[in-house]
Amino acid sequence: MTIDSTGPDATDQGPPTAPPAGGIADRRAAVIGDGSRRGRALCRALSAVTDEWLGSVYASATDPTPAPALALVAVGGYGRGELAPGSDLDLWLLHGGDLDAAALTALAERLWYPVWDAGLKLGHAVFTPRQALALAARELDTATASLSMRHLAGDESLSADVRARALAQWRKRSARFLAELRDRVAARHASGDEVAFLLEPDIKEARGGLRDVHALGWAEVARPVLLAGDAAALAEAEATLLEVRVELHRATGRASDELLLERQDEIAAALGDAGADALMARVAAAARTVAWTGDEVWHRLSSSLAGPLGRLSRRDRRLGSGLVLRDAEVHVEGDAEVEGDPSLVLRAAAAAATAGVPIDRPSLERLGACSPVLDGPWPEDARLALVDLLATGPRAIPVLESLDQRGLVHRVLPEWEPNRSRPQRNAYHRFTVDRHLCEAAANAAALTAEVSRPDLLLVGTWLHDLGKGYPGDHTEVGMELMAEVAPRMGFADDDVATLVDMVRHHLLLPDVATRRDLADDDVIEGVAAAVGSLETLELLAALTEADSLATGPSAWGTWKAGLVAELVERVAHVLRGGAVAEVTAAGFPSPEVRRLLAEGTRVVSGEGNVLTVVAPDRPGLFSRVAGTLALKAVAVRGADAVSADGMAASRFVIEPGPGGCDWDDVATSVELALDGRLALAARVAQRSSPSRAQPRGRALLAPPRVRVDNHASATSTVVEVRAPDQVGVLYRITAALAELDLDIRMAKVATLGSEVVDTFYVSTAAGDKVSDRAHARELERAILHRLEH
């Protein structure tokens, strides 16, 4: 027995007589280049020409006298007839043991070398039937490969016999194999990557991808695991994913299963989608079907494999009118009036999430077929059930997904449908709109103890981005939708107003905290006036955290959390009747920094996450420090600056890496920069060379934009810059500000995925705003030039 998935050694000269290649490269190219074929049709056409060619290779290899009991078979994707343009050829050579080792090796070489010579990737093995079956009895990969075995050439009875015995063996050992297969699937899913929600999904390996479809197929062969409608739904989802994979291979010219941003428009056009958003919505819907069906199957199989003693309950437990808990599932009782009980769907969902179990599949199908649409006033128990469901946190998500798979979320909330599987194609958001809302609500459940109205927090968070599925500004549309939905749910007028305000201001706290001067009286008083009450403020604070955590890894961290907490504390002080000056006076510079300014001595000191620089005032001082920090790969999150009597002080708040910050090294480099002994421009340009790897999501980024605002602050001009994240962005912007002799009083630096949003409070050398329009245009021109060159 020999198994190998590699090509020949570079020094190997091949077999004595090279068999003909048969023009397979041209024939494959003709199939791949035929734009009328997509997905499975192309795979089957490619399999067919490959089958024919391999048949001629086999005939040549066995000429003049074919050996008895010898067969060439395809396994894996090729065995299933799913040969994508970049797929490997997985082949087994089966033999009856009649050939000696030397003859068998020579024969195998005559089969494999033409494949390698044609430039095709080959996985190959040589087995007797006993060897193949013995290995398939021990190893899951070989066992599943044998299930896809397809005869190509030679003794067809030999192939059929091995395949039949392998199938019988798979079914006989199904308990062990299915348990191992289930665990393999779970381990692969543990990475957290999901086709439906990734910005650049792996169509094959991520959760909900083609690998999951194959696993479900193998399980179904072992024992019936799919329920009515599952096979058809999986086939439709697989067809979508497979055609995307085929187009990826075709577009890239290689075995690429990752749907990168820069390819999405191209793939959408090839498949006839209206655009990349339409393509990704189709992909997300297909992947969600696969993932949900898999969850259902593996749950039922786990219960089956555990046996009666392994199930959570063996007796029915009533869960309210029409509902029972039975065998670790929520069941709708046979005599329940599904059509006449508008709260039943939400009550069943809340019961399932509370118990941490799914809704029984027949019950789910019955609810999907018979439940009424809640487009009128809700009964009170429906609203209470929704709140109970959302209050279960992460356990609500799979239950909501089950409802969504049978159109029940739409029945409960008709306004939900435009958001279903709606992609957010940017590097900042991780999830589709609907999944983002569910994830945010799950996060909010952990914060209910921090607010006086948990029900408003949960519902407001679940619906805060509902407007994204509709044309227009999503906040304005979302407010209109909330004003319609909340009364229908049964909320009182005051509560409706609060829920609308949650939508209106759901971005207020993070935007102000990360882009405005929290020591500015006008800023704090403006937020207090907008929020209006302590109750709304605490709801917005919790919504901000829940929303940010659901957005993506770059949307929430200790720096942003600290800024939001500082803003909330100051606004709360004002809402309680306190004077704003009492919370804004204790800003930068501190008494210690004032002392250093008065002494007139240069100081460069780093401690914790703060770098303080005091030095004689000069143009570009702030920029020199920013450039040095860029060279040291130190991420700046905020900065303040002040000058007095010919001295200047700057405070840079950084986000230290896993190993902390070597302040001694940083301070030494800052000293060199201040002395003019570092070629900052050249060094920063070298570090930001285009040859360096670009972050994911960059393909969707807009070009740099600059906004000059003379109304946001009473004393300074606020300059907001949005630009693709790259090494030295802060240095380049501040160098442009220095070029125009502008003083930087305060800076806030935020990174949103692959984009930065940097805000600067600046004034002229005379301490005035940049009020002249021509001056403001020159300011914009200078910044854009620095960022684009």
Side-chain angles (χ1 to χ4, degrees), residues 148-449:
S148 61
M149 189 185 304
R150 184 168 59 85
H151 180 78
L152 294 177
D155 185 347
E156 191 165 359
S157 64
L158 176 62
S159 303
D161 177 65
V162 174
R163 189 183 189 284
R165 291 163 66 188
L167 176 61
Q169 183 172 265
W170 172 257
R171 288 172 173 162
K172 181 178 180 180
R173 293 171 168 79
S174 63
R176 177 172 67 83
F177 277 137
L178 289 178
E180 185 178 350
L181 183 60
R182 174 201 60 196
D183 294 344
R184 286 254 197 113
V185 170
R188 182 162 44 79
H189 290 176
S191 68
D193 293 343
E194 296 195 48
V195 173
F197 309 122
L198 285 176
L199 183 65
E200 298 177 320
D202 186 320
I203 297 297
K204 184 177 180 181
E205 297 293 342
R207 183 172 185 266
L210 288 166
R211 185 70 75 190
D212 281 350
V213 177
H214 302 157
L216 291 171
W218 298 327
E220 178 71 5
V221 170
R223 60 176 72 172
V225 295
L226 300 178
L227 300 183
D230 284 350
L234 281 174
E236 182 178 352
E238 182 184 20
T240 295
L241 298 174
L242 186 58
E243 70 176 8
V244 171
R245 184 177 189 236
V246 166
E247 291 306 321
L248 265 175
H249 286 202
R250 203 151 40 180
T252 61
R254 56 187 176 85
S256 175
D257 296 326
E258 195 171 17
L259 186 50
L260 299 177
L261 281 166
E262 56 263 32
R263 292 287 183 185
Q264 289 173 10
D265 286 302
E266 178 184 1
I267 302 303
L271 294 177
D273 289 288
D277 281 353
L279 168 69
M280 297 311 292
R282 259 197 328 126
V283 169
R288 290 173 69 171
T289 295
V290 173
W292 178 76
T293 304
D295 288 346
E296 289 266 304
V297 165
W298 299 120
H299 170 79
R300 290 194 300 272
L301 268 176
S302 293
S303 179
S304 172
L305 293 172
L309 295 178
R311 296 171 187 160
L312 293 180
S313 75
R314 294 185 298 279
R315 294 182 179 179
D316 289 358
R317 178 161 64 88
R318 291 193 61 79
L319 299 173
S321 176
L323 299 172
V324 295
L325 180 65
R326 178 184 305 143
D327 291 334
E329 293 178 324
V330 170
H331 291 247
V332 176
E333 292 186 294
D335 58 355
E337 297 184 5
V338 177
E339 298 90 339
D341 188 346
S343 68
L344 185 59
V345 169
L346 289 171
R347 289 193 298 106
T354 300
V357 300
I359 300 173
D360 162 64
R361 180 64 175 276
S363 298
L364 188 65
E365 301 292 353
R366 184 179 169 201
L367 290 171
C370 303
S371 294
V373 176
L374 290 183
D375 54 0
W378 286 23
E380 183 180 14
D381 55 353
R383 174 169 53 82
L384 295 176
L386 173 63
V387 172
D388 288 344
L389 169 63
L390 298 177
T392 63
R395 286 180 297 180
I397 293 175
V399 177
L400 283 166
E401 183 68 18
S402 291
L403 298 186
D404 187 71
Q405 286 293 323
R406 290 300 175 263
L408 287 166
V409 177
H410 172 69
R411 298 278 186 90
V412 169
L413 188 70
E415 292 83 358
W416 186 264
E417 186 63 24
N419 292 289
R420 189 178 189 278
S421 296
R422 185 178 183 86
Q424 303 189 82
R425 295 180 60 243
N426 59 68
Y428 191 49
H429 284 90
R430 177 185 177 192
F431 296 113
T432 54
V433 174
D434 53 346
R435 182 59 177 265
H436 168 76
L437 291 172
C438 294
E439 292 281 347
N443 294 333
L447 304 171
T448 53

Side-chain angles (χ1 to χ4, degrees), residues 444 447 450-451 457 461 537-547:
L447 304 171
E450 300 179 14
V451 300
L457 173 62
T461 302
L537 178 64
E538 68 182 13
L539 287 169
L540 288 173
L543 168 59
T544 296
E545 181 174 349
D547 184 22

Side-chain angles (χ1 to χ4, degrees), residues 468-481:
K468 282 190 173 181
Y470 297 80
D473 180 87
H474 86 277
T475 297
E476 294 180 3
V477 175
M479 291 164 56
E480 295 173 3
L481 291 171

Side-chain angles (χ1 to χ4, degrees), residues 637-725:
R637 289 292 173 246
D640 298 279
V642 67
S643 59
D645 300 325
M647 294 292 292
S650 301
R651 176 182 64 177
F652 291 80
V653 179
I654 65 119
E655 186 169 322
C661 185
D662 185 348
W663 284 122
D664 290 338
D665 180 54
V666 170
T668 299
S669 295
V670 170
E671 296 274 9
L672 290 173
L674 295 180
D675 290 337
R677 297 169 61 190
L678 273 184
L680 284 174
R683 286 176 173 268
V684 171
Q686 185 178 22
R687 282 207 74 233
S688 57
S689 167
S691 62
R692 291 178 171 269
Q694 299 298 314
R696 291 189 173 189
R698 195 175 183 85
L700 290 179
L701 292 180
R705 292 94 73 203
V706 178
R707 187 167 71 92
V708 179
D709 186 350
N710 277 307
H711 303 288
S713 169
T715 59
S716 302
T717 294
V718 177
V719 181
E720 184 175 290
V721 182
R722 289 176 173 265
D725 190 16

